[in-house]
Amino acid sequence: MAEDVSKHSVHTLVFRSLKRSHDMFIANNVQPVLSDEDGINLKMSCKSKDQYGPLLDLPETKRELRKQNAPQYQQQEMQIVGQQEYNTIPTQIEPGYPYPNAPGVELSEQTAISQPFPNHDGVNNMINNFPDSHPQTAYGVQDIQKNAGIPERVLPPSQALVAISDNTKNSQALMPRKAPTMPKPKWHPPWKLFRVISGHIGWVRSLAVEPANQWFVSGSNDRTIKIWDLASGTLKLSLTGHVSAVRGLAVSSRHPYLFSAGEDKMVKCWDLEQNKVIRHYHGHLSACFDLALHPTIDILATCGRDSSIRIWDMRTKACIHTLTGHTNTVASVQCQSSEPQVISGSHDATIRLWDLAAGKSRATLTNHKKSVRSVVLHPKLYMMASASPDNIKQWRFPEGNFTQNLSGHSAIINCLAVNSDGVLVSGGDNGTIHMWDWKTGYNFLRTQAPTQPGSIDSESGIFAMTFDRSGSRLLTAEADKTIKVYKEDEEAVSNTTSIKTFVCW
């Protein structure tokens, strides 16, 4: 009977194969490559005949003459190298000579008679016929007479000089090259922490200010909605009804309604005269992350984790459109009266502009490389800004043309806010707040939000922010369960905080 084949593990077999390969080739690695002297000599012979063949066949007499004249040639080269500077070389052309006689060979009388003397018009016509791309080095006959016979100075092009030509072709001037400059940003006073409002027992996830600018509302992970007095910061009312975190809030400017969206997939309409829920909007398949009200039409837009944006009729509760196209969570949605009327930002790193009438996407902006967590509209300009961990980008409507990048906020940016004075604010997941000049993109303020005493460092994130209706107060919703109010420093003046023109190298 045949012997039983011993079974080994895959690791053992691989190790044995590796050892065999190692033993097979290790002996050749330590041996130096053998040198073939005949091959080297043959290679050098072919190379010498190919490159120096004409010199090898010279007669002996020519070789001897070359050897004898070699010192003389070297002496002449030394004399040429050691010549005086070009500015001290005497002029080679004198009036009466029709052409330059450099390098020292005089023209014969017959040649001088047969060649006409160049006049000013002839030289200028010759200069005008030169192509514009070639630098012109002479401006007239006198310049040619002055510099004739002088070897042309070949210098490396200067990076600090540029050729500026006027209307005439035969004149150019060298002017210092100006470095590109960034427009001088508008001066904004620094913002300071004004008030800290506490009352929630969970992360504060959403904020909204009512149109009359008298109170504001906040939503939290503690499943409550609280209404605060904007001037004093005192609690006016608490609303309960959500069974999960409240992620989106909006106050209607046309009706006494408050709308809320939560992670419980519920969208609620609150009657502020009765302080109770009067409508529910059912349809989302997962958590709702944001909502927005249309400024002129009674419709409501919500978005969430189900990668869709839903458009609701405010009164009938009917779902008018379900806008699909995003491939990941839709984190932010905005509405405006002009086209595009709905804008959404998603974790799939895209921004979509939607045609509200047709219920279809009219443009997809793919400039971001990471998830877009916030989209904000400028209150006066026909523009918007979007936030992503890579940078903040500005766009121009209606086509969504890219305007500029705002780089420097190295964090996961959860929220954006902008006021009518052109102050753009970004809030990071690490508690940092950056303030930018909208027009120039200049980052004029960086600050770290102070955490509530007793909170740990990880509870320093900023989840939402908004300006009040006047744009003079900034509200931030943070992970330390507080709402912070920032105001402009009234004592700051532009003379103490100077902003200079920055040079972009």
Side-chain angles (χ1 to χ4, degrees):
M1 295 180 62
E3 296 181 359
D4 296 337
V5 179
S6 58
K7 297 180 180 179
H8 299 282
S9 64
V10 176
H11 181 271
T12 303
L13 296 175
V14 171
F15 179 77
R16 287 184 179 181
S17 176
L18 180 63
K19 187 174 184 305
R20 291 194 200 97
S21 302
H22 182 270
D23 294 341
M24 183 181 299
F25 294 104
I26 191 60
N28 296 332
N29 290 341
V30 296
Q31 295 179 1
V33 179
L34 298 178
S35 60
D36 186 5
E37 296 182 359
D38 296 339
I40 294 175
N41 294 334
L42 181 61
K43 174 184 175 183
M44 296 303 297
S45 176
C46 294
K47 188 173 182 179
S48 61
K49 288 183 179 181
D50 179 59
Q51 297 184 4
Y52 306 104
L55 297 178
L56 295 176
D57 298 336
L58 284 177
E60 294 295 334
T61 56
K62 290 188 178 181
R63 290 187 181 180
E64 292 176 358
L65 289 175
R66 283 183 174 243
K67 291 180 181 179
Q68 293 175 4
N69 297 333
Q72 183 179 356
Y73 293 151
Q74 294 178 359
Q75 186 177 1
Q76 291 180 358
E77 291 177 359
M78 293 297 292
Q79 291 178 357
I80 294 175
V81 174
Q83 283 180 354
Q84 54 187 336
E85 296 182 358
Y86 294 138
N87 294 331
T88 61
I89 297 177
T91 302
Q92 298 291 332
I93 293 181
E94 299 295 340
Y97 288 96
Y99 283 101
N101 58 358
V105 179
E106 297 182 0
L107 297 176
S108 62
E109 296 180 358
Q110 183 178 2
T111 306
I113 294 173
S114 62
Q115 299 293 340
F117 183 76
N119 55 12
H120 290 267
D121 296 336
V123 175
N124 290 332
N125 291 334
M126 180 180 65
I127 294 174
N128 292 335
N129 292 329
F130 286 159
D132 293 339
S133 59
H134 294 283
Q136 301 171 2
T137 58
Y139 305 109
V141 175
Q142 294 179 354
D143 193 19
I144 294 177
Q145 292 177 350
K146 181 179 178 181
N147 298 313
I150 300 177
E152 184 179 359
R153 302 171 180 86
V154 180
L155 298 176
S158 173
Q159 296 180 354
L161 298 176
V162 292
I164 307 297
S165 60
D166 54 11
N167 295 330
T168 60
K169 292 185 178 180
N170 59 345
S171 62
Q172 284 186 340
L174 291 178
M175 300 294 292
R177 184 188 297 273
K178 293 184 179 180
T181 58
M182 187 183 75
K184 185 176 180 179
K186 177 184 175 182
W187 183 81
H188 299 283
W191 291 65
K192 298 173 63 176
L193 181 63
F194 173 68
R195 177 179 287 126
V196 179
I197 302 173
S198 59
H200 283 289
I201 57 175
W203 290 354
V204 186
R205 302 304 298 259
S206 54
L207 290 170
V209 180
E210 65 105 7
N213 210 36
Q214 295 181 355
W215 49 267
F216 70 95
V217 59
S218 63
S220 170
N221 275 13
D222 60 8
R223 301 171 294 180
T224 63
I225 300 170
K226 294 183 181 292
I227 298 176
W228 312 82
D229 183 72
L230 186 59
S232 62
T234 57
L235 180 64
K236 299 179 68 175
L237 183 66
S238 293
L239 301 175
T240 58
H242 281 280
V243 296
S244 189
V246 181
R247 297 293 297 270
L249 290 170
V251 183
S252 175
S253 59
R254 300 158 56 87
H255 310 283
Y257 294 156
L258 166 67
F259 295 88
S260 63
E263 293 183 358
D264 53 5
K265 302 182 284 186
M266 297 298 297
V267 180
K268 298 177 183 289
C269 176
W270 305 78
D271 188 343
L272 297 177
E273 294 177 348
Q274 306 177 33
N275 295 332
K276 67 178 184 179
V277 179
I278 58 173
R279 296 187 186 96
H280 289 88
Y281 303 90
H282 299 278
H284 275 286
L285 305 177
S286 188
C288 297
F289 281 173
D290 196 12
L291 62 85
L293 298 177
H294 197 282
T296 58
I297 310 174
D298 288 340
I299 60 173
L300 170 69
T302 59
C303 64
R305 196 180 292 157
D306 57 2
S307 307
S308 68
I309 302 101
R310 294 180 183 268
I311 310 298
W312 310 88
D313 188 327
M314 189 181 297
R315 295 186 176 277
T316 64
K317 302 180 290 183
C319 182
I320 304 172
H321 289 304
T322 300
L323 308 178
T324 59
H326 285 294
T327 59
N328 207 331
T329 299
V330 184
S332 181
V333 64
Q334 294 289 340
C335 291
Q336 62 180 0
S337 56
S338 55
E339 293 293 339
Q341 297 187 50
V342 180
I343 304 100
S344 62
S346 171
H347 287 188
D348 61 6
T350 65
I351 301 166
R352 286 182 179 262
L353 314 180
W354 301 90
D355 186 345
L356 183 60
K360 296 180 181 179
S361 174
R362 55 180 292 169
T364 303
L365 311 180
T366 60
N367 296 46
H368 281 291
K369 304 304 179 186
K370 295 183 179 180
S371 59
V372 180
R373 297 191 174 216
S374 180
V375 175
V376 66
L377 305 178
H378 196 283
K380 288 185 176 180
L381 303 178
Y382 197 32
M383 299 177 66
M384 74 167 181
S386 58
S388 177
D390 50 7
N391 48 41
I392 302 170
K393 296 182 185 293
Q394 291 180 354
W395 315 84
R396 189 176 299 277
F397 294 126
E399 302 299 331
N401 298 322
F402 172 73
T403 303
Q404 66 175 342
N405 266 332
L406 280 66
S407 302
H409 199 169
S410 55
I412 299 175
I413 304 175
N414 289 326
C415 49
L416 289 175
V418 62
N419 65 2
S420 58
D421 292 334
V423 177
L424 176 65
V425 189
S426 56
D429 209 39
N430 55 0
T432 56
I433 297 175
H434 286 209
M435 293 191 175
W436 317 77
D437 178 58
W438 178 277
K439 183 177 179 181
T440 61
Y442 172 63
N443 185 200
F444 68 90
L445 180 64
R446 300 183 181 186
T447 183
Q448 176 77 33
T451 58
Q452 186 82 341
S455 300
I456 59 178
D457 292 339
S458 61
E459 292 183 334
S460 60
I462 301 175
F463 294 124
M465 60 171 51
T466 184
F467 283 98
D468 67 347
R469 298 295 176 175
S470 65
S472 60
R473 283 170 289 191
L474 174 68
L475 310 175
T476 61
E478 306 195 8
D480 61 355
K481 308 169 188 176
T482 64
I483 303 163
K484 294 184 175 65
V485 183
Y486 293 84
K487 291 181 66 175
E488 292 180 345
D489 189 357
E490 298 177 354
E491 299 178 355
V493 292
S494 60
N495 294 332
T496 58
T497 310
S498 61
I499 299 178
K500 299 180 180 179
T501 301
F502 293 88
V503 178
C504 304
W505 296 99

